[in-house]
């Protein structure tokens, strides 16, 4: 069967890597892909915002399943248009993608259906938002309602800071995303994420993971898309994962059915594990990046039938096997990321790493010259991903591999996994 994968990051390389191992795969196409994906798939230059162009491509190339990596095309209704054209798609409708596309929508849904999350209020103008802040305990969390590439969240330690964030959001710092602002109580605890395949009311748990969102060691510096991750996450042990399923993910799947927007795809629950139990911080309607990379390393089962079953609404009875080992990934980024950075620097040394089955370097922002020279063309560029008996072993393997990569213009965190390693036994 031919598959079209949409996206160009490390997440999509990891998905391509797993899909390419499936016996059921015919040809894998990727739009637009990257230099790593190009080793597994035919990369094609498709305008993803042109839905009828995507549909035409699927018809011409006998695509049986479209797998959508990032959230923006889902929020824009790509899955709806593919479905209307009778093309199977892994990824939710625009109505269901509101779980990521509108924080206000998700908070109201949680409130209506008793799903644990931070207390919140929604505002469409600054004055009322500021009045709310005036007698709210600190810190206080101010969020732009819509998609803001992970940047629309301010954790304000003072009321002044909260007011500034409110003014900036309503002044258009995040464009349309900031037309509405959500103000939340600050949740204390340890963050983790949990992933599940969902099709209507049927939920198949995948696994948990932990990400490192700040750019620099010790969780300092600006927020990024994620600088490293590992799975499983010790804070999400079997009992906690079960609570997440029963208290958060299953009720959400049921709620989306009840609201007339059944969910189909992978649901990514960003969680705070608080003293009272797990609480939802946010939903994403896609795999995490770089969490997907560690999940795919640990998944023993064939991914493609699971994606197909989700797309077809035939998930019940599906069970997946996972490797017991820990997978850990370290993101190598271009110096300057998440701010401005140079494009085009040369990366050498990856050829020294090919022999090890427990080590995969997933590509994100890379391209290759005609002569094979590998270049960095994005912020996050490589995800050095290793399996090990535990976090310590996986981490040692990943960092040993990084030593062989010659890329002076890159940087990476040296402490991925620190939270898991510093837990009391
Ligand atoms: P979000 O984009 O909603 O995931 O928020 C980005 C980050 O802000 C999260 O990963 C958390 O670290 C933090 N955050 C968001 N909401 C809260 C909250 N209510 N309490 C504490 N931290 C939060
Ligand atoms: N790593 C965080 C995300 O994918 O949103």
């Amino acid at each position: 069967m031919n598959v079209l994968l949409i996206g160009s990051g490390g997440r999509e390389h990891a998905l391509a890597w797993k899909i390419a191992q499936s016996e059921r795969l015919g040809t894998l196409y990727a739009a637009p892909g990257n230099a790593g994906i190009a080793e597994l798939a035919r990369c094609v230059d498709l305008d993803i915002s042109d839905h009828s162009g995507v549909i035409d491509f699927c018809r011409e190339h006998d695509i049986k399943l479209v797998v959508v990596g990032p959230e923006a095309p889902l929020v824009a209704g790509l899955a709806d248009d593919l479905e209307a054209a009778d093309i199977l798609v892994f990824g939710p409708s625009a109505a269901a993608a509101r779980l990521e596309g509108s924080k206000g929508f998700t908070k109201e849904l949680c409130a209506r259906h008793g799903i644990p999350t931070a207390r919140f209020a929604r505002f469409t103008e600054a004055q009322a938002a500021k009045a709310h802040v005036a007698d709210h305990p600190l810190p206080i969390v101010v969020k732009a309602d819509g998609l803001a590439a992970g940047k629309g969240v301010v954790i304000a330690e003072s009321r002044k800071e909260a007011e500034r964030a409110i003014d900036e959001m309503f002044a258009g710092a995040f464009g349309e995303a900031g037309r509405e602002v959500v103000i939340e109580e600050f949740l204390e605890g340890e963050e983790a994420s949990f992933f599940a395949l969902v099709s209507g009311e049927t939920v198949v748990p995948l696994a948990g993971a932990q990400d490192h969102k700040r750019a620099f060691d010790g969780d300092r510096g600006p927020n990024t898309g994620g600088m490293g991750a590992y799975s499983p996450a010790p804070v999400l042990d079997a009992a906690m994962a079960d609570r997440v399923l029963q208290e958060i993910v299953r009720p959400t799947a049921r709620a989306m059915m009840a609201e007339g927007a059944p969910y189909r795809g992978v649901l990514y629950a960003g969680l705070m594990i608080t003293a009272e139990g797990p609480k939802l911080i946010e939903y994403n309607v896609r795999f995490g990046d770089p969490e997907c990379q560690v999940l795919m390393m640990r998944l023993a089962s064939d991914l493609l039938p699971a994606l197909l079953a989700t797309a077809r609404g035939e998930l019940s009875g599906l069970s997946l096997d996972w490797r017991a080992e820990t997978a850990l990934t370290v993101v190598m980024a271009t110096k300057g990321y998440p701010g401005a950075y140079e494009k085009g620097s040369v990366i050498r040394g990856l050829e020294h790493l090919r022999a090890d089955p427990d080590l995969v370097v997933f590509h994100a922002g890379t391209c290759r010259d005609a002569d094979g020279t590998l270049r960095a063309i994005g912020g996050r560029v490589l995800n050095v991903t290793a399996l090990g008996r535990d976090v310590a072993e996986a981490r040692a393997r990943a960092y040993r591999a990084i030593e062989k990569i010659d890329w002076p213009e890159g940087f990476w965190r040296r402490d991925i996994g620190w939270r898991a390693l510093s837990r009391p036994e």
Side-chain angles (χ1 to χ4, degrees):
M1 138 191 348
N2 295 347
V3 175
L4 171 64
L5 172 66
I6 290 176
S8 63
R11 166 182 53 209
E12 287 77 21
H13 188 186
L15 291 170
W17 176 77
K18 265 311 272 187
I19 292 170
Q21 292 169 33
S22 177
E23 281 177 10
R24 298 181 59 183
L25 180 69
T27 303
L28 178 61
Y29 296 88
N34 60 37
I37 295 172
E39 292 173 17
L40 304 162
R42 280 195 211 161
C43 293
V44 290
D45 194 16
L46 261 182
D47 176 1
I48 301 308
S49 63
D50 171 14
H51 297 182
S52 51
V54 176
I55 290 166
D56 289 344
F57 178 89
C58 291
R59 292 200 172 125
E60 282 157 24
H61 295 83
D62 196 23
I63 301 291
K64 291 286 188 277
L65 177 70
V66 178
V67 178
V68 185
E71 66 280 10
L74 297 166
V75 172
L78 178 60
D80 306 71
D81 289 337
L82 286 167
E83 194 180 20
D86 265 336
I87 298 165
L88 278 175
V89 55
F90 179 83
S93 67
R98 281 180 298 170
L99 281 176
E100 177 164 359
S102 167
K103 295 190 192 299
F105 169 80
T106 300
K107 298 299 287 189
E108 302 278 359
L109 185 92
C110 288
R112 276 197 300 277
H113 296 272
I115 296 162
T117 186
R119 278 191 293 275
F120 73 102
R122 303 170 76 174
F123 300 94
T124 50
E125 52 98 21
Q127 208 173 356
K130 288 183 188 172
H132 180 76
V133 164
D135 54 5
H136 195 290
L138 294 170
I140 184 165
V141 185
V142 182
K143 300 183 176 183
D145 178 75
L147 291 184
K151 296 189 183 93
V153 175
V154 173
I155 297 179
E157 302 287 344
S158 70
R159 298 207 163 77
K160 239 193 181 63
E161 205 185 325
E163 289 176 3
R164 198 163 53 230
I166 290 166
D167 280 334
E168 280 173 12
M169 285 179 195
F170 283 121
F174 303 105
E176 280 291 297
R179 274 165 51 122
E180 185 174 322
V181 165
V182 175
I183 297 187
E184 284 182 20
E185 81 177 304
F186 178 77
L187 295 175
E188 295 224 37
E190 190 170 332
E191 266 187 87
S193 29
F194 189 78
F195 298 84
L197 297 177
V198 177
S199 197
E201 285 194 31
T202 314
V203 175
V204 172
L206 295 173
Q210 230 162 356
D211 181 17
H212 300 61
K213 290 217 169 95
R214 301 294 196 100
F216 308 131
D217 286 7
D219 289 337
R220 282 193 288 268
N223 254 322
T224 71
M227 294 299 291
Y230 49 92
S231 171
V235 68
L236 271 182
D237 59 16
M240 189 58 76
D242 194 54
R243 282 192 67 178
V244 172
L245 259 180
Q246 305 307 340
E247 296 172 26
I248 297 178
V249 179
R250 288 192 198 282
T252 300
R254 283 195 295 271
M256 292 302 282
M257 289 286 286
E259 308 257 337
Y263 193 88
R264 167 191 60 205
V266 58
L267 188 60
Y268 162 165
L271 305 163
M272 192 70 85
I273 310 303
T274 73
E276 295 150 36
K279 292 193 180 179
L280 181 75
I281 297 177
E282 60 158 5
Y283 273 127
N284 295 310
V285 298
R286 52 176 173 81
F287 280 105
D289 186 349
E291 292 94 325
C292 184
Q293 290 81 314
V294 289
L295 257 49
M296 292 305 115
M297 283 290 270
R298 288 190 56 222
L299 180 62
S301 306
D302 191 345
L303 177 68
L304 187 49
L307 300 177
L308 256 182
T310 309
R312 286 193 175 128
E314 294 169 359
L315 259 188
S316 42
L318 182 90
S319 82
L320 295 168
D321 294 325
W322 296 86
R323 297 178 65 154
E325 291 110 308
T326 292
L328 180 143
T329 189
V330 180
V331 172
M332 298 179 79
T334 307
K335 284 177 185 161
Y337 172 79
Y341 54 83
E342 299 275 324
K343 290 186 181 178
S345 55
V346 175
I347 304 165
R348 297 187 177 86
L350 285 188
E351 62 281 5
H352 302 312
L353 299 171
R354 288 194 189 269
D356 187 345
D358 288 345
L359 186 109
V360 183
V361 180
F362 294 115
H363 291 222
T366 63
C367 72
R368 241 180 240 289
D369 295 348
D371 69 0
T373 305
L374 186 67
R375 291 185 191 273
I377 53 161
R380 294 189 293 173
V381 173
L382 296 174
N383 313 139
V384 181
T385 313
L387 276 172
R389 274 182 315 239
D390 50 22
V391 172
E393 192 180 73
R395 161 165 145 149
R397 245 179 217 153
Y399 282 114
R400 263 202 310 277
I402 286 181
E403 281 170 27
K404 299 195 180 135
I405 299 173
D406 174 15
W407 182 34
E409 293 81 3
F411 81 98
W412 55 93
R413 281 182 60 162
R414 320 254 162 183
D415 64 346
I416 300 305
W418 72 267
R419 224 180 262 282
L421 290 172
S422 62
R423 286 173 76 83
E425 283 302 314

